[in-house]
Amino acid sequence: MDVGFIGLGNMGFPMAARLIEAGHPLVVFDTRPDIVAKAVALGAQAGTSPRDIADRAETVLASLPSVQASRDVATGPDGVIKGQRVRRFVDLSTVGSTAAQEIQGRLSARDIAMLDSPVSGGVGGATRGALALMVSGPRDEFEVVEPILANLGTPFFVDTKPGAGQTMKLVNNLLAATALATTCEVVVMGVKAGLDPSVMIDVINAGSGATNASRDKFPKSILPRTFDYGFATGLMVKDVRLYLEEATSLGLPTEMAAAVGRVWELVMNEEGPDSDFTCAIKPLEAAAGVIVDGRPTS
Ligand code: NAD
């Protein structure tokens, strides 16, 4: 099946590469020509706009960095909504349920089906085809795209209700944001008290405090001080803000989420929105006057 792919960033590029590898004729677009050229070198065709992609493919996938980018790509003046061939739009981005419902409403008025399908599993999961995909929208459309999405990981059908996949993703990411912020805080505390950070992470991972933050993010990007996990601090803040908006609109308490949100806002102020989110440890290190260094001493 001809597939369009818009947004070839940290997540989109490895996902697009997997689809090319699986033999799908892929037509791609990104506002960065350099990354489009890289995809063309792998076998993709280059498109000139979201509309052009939607003129050339029945199924259009997108992986975009902000709510506004998803809105523009889907429903903007040169958006997917104007395409002649497109039948369905699958948004792999995290945009929250309100924006997903709004986009779904505008696309369905033009007979274009919308599936929201935010993903979890990071760049590693995108590269290995091991993402969790949280899909909501029309069931028959899910069945059409399931074989495509299966190249990227495990598609979970969350609900027919537009935006339900987004709600699921915000729940997941609030947990991930909490685990990373908390693990940074406790490891800095241990180092200040004289513990070795690598020993701490080994113990946590053999004990009841283990999470994806301690199993994956610390060993890969914090202990070696490479800060290159592949998820921007600005995107983490986006997701926590979206969670807070959704929980608040449901009239729910947000004690934990609000505290986690304050931590991430501080990280963004100190380290910048483009910093890797594993930099969350740096303001804590500065406040404590320690460095969490797990590199082997030679
Ligand atoms: P990114 O910033 O690395 O990539 C976004 C890409 O979209 C860039 O290449 C950018 O040039 C392109 N883009 C922006 N506006 C565009 C437009 N109007 N038209 C075409 N292309 C445009 O972001 P990412 O880390 O790949 O994240 C993408 C989405 O996936 C986000 O919603 C993020 O929250 C979500 N996500 C990211 C991760 C991760 O680990 N990075 C994990 C799960 C989910």
Side-chain angles (χ1 to χ4, degrees):
M1 186 194 290
D2 282 7
V3 179
F5 204 109
I6 303 171
L8 301 168
N10 284 330
M11 295 297 283
F13 189 84
M15 287 194 262
R18 288 193 66 82
L19 294 176
I20 296 167
E21 175 95 27
H24 290 284
L26 205 70
V27 50
V28 299
F29 175 69
D30 193 292
T31 42
R32 293 187 297 151
D34 57 319
I35 199 79
V36 172
K38 269 180 73 181
V40 168
L42 294 182
Q45 289 180 41
T48 54
S49 68
R51 177 189 197 146
D52 179 45
I53 299 290
D55 277 337
R56 294 162 69 174
E58 284 190 358
T59 300
V60 178
L61 278 57
S63 176
L64 295 158
S66 68
V67 176
Q68 195 53 46
S70 277
R71 274 202 191 101
D72 290 348
V73 161
T75 62
D78 217 11
V80 168
I81 197 165
K82 297 283 171 65
Q84 296 301 310
R85 192 150 174 243
V86 61
R87 302 277 300 277
R88 60 198 67 83
F89 177 65
V90 183
D91 198 352
L92 304 157
S93 330
T94 308
V95 298
S97 61
T98 308
Q101 285 160 9
E102 190 190 301
I103 294 169
Q104 183 270 339
R106 295 191 60 190
L107 291 180
S108 69
R110 298 286 291 261
D111 273 339
I112 303 167
M114 155 92 172
L115 290 161
D116 52 303
S117 176
V119 303
S120 181
V123 174
T127 307
R128 293 192 311 278
L131 296 170
L133 297 105
M134 303 161 228
V135 191
S136 55
R139 180 109 216 182
D140 54 339
E141 292 293 340
F142 171 68
E143 277 157 20
V144 174
V145 298
E146 196 178 5
I148 300 170
L149 299 183
N151 291 296
L152 310 178
T154 307
F156 292 90
F157 188 74
V158 178
D159 205 302
T160 52
K161 187 179 160 217
Q166 292 291 337
T167 305
M168 184 63 239
K169 168 67 178 167
L170 296 183
V171 165
N172 178 80
N173 270 31
L174 200 271
L175 286 174
T178 305
L180 182 54
T182 312
T183 310
C184 286
E185 194 171 305
V186 300
V187 170
V188 166
M189 182 278 212
V191 169
K192 183 76 180 177
L195 301 184
D196 179 315
S198 299
V199 173
M200 287 182 78
I201 290 297
D202 287 346
V203 173
I204 289 167
N205 284 340
S208 57
T211 63
N212 178 273
S214 62
R215 280 196 217 102
D216 204 34
K217 290 159 191 156
F218 263 76
K220 258 190 200 144
S221 299
I222 298 181
L223 293 177
R225 300 197 71 74
T226 50
F227 304 110
D228 59 353
Y229 197 79
F231 187 56
T233 300
L235 295 182
M236 187 82 271
V237 169
K238 161 180 73 73
D239 294 352
V240 175
R241 285 181 185 169
L242 287 168
Y243 177 93
L244 282 164
E245 274 168 37
E246 184 150 344
T248 305
S249 76
L250 291 168
L252 297 176
T254 55
E255 312 268 324
M256 299 294 295
V260 171
R262 283 193 296 277
V263 170
W264 283 104
E265 297 284 346
L266 177 98
V267 176
M268 187 163 75
N269 282 340
E270 301 273 314
E271 303 298 323
D274 296 332
S275 63
D276 192 83
F277 77 150
T278 51
C279 291
I281 200 152
K282 291 185 179 176
L284 295 160
E285 291 176 328
V290 298
I291 293 289
V292 173
D293 193 340
R295 289 171 292 193
T297 44
S298 53

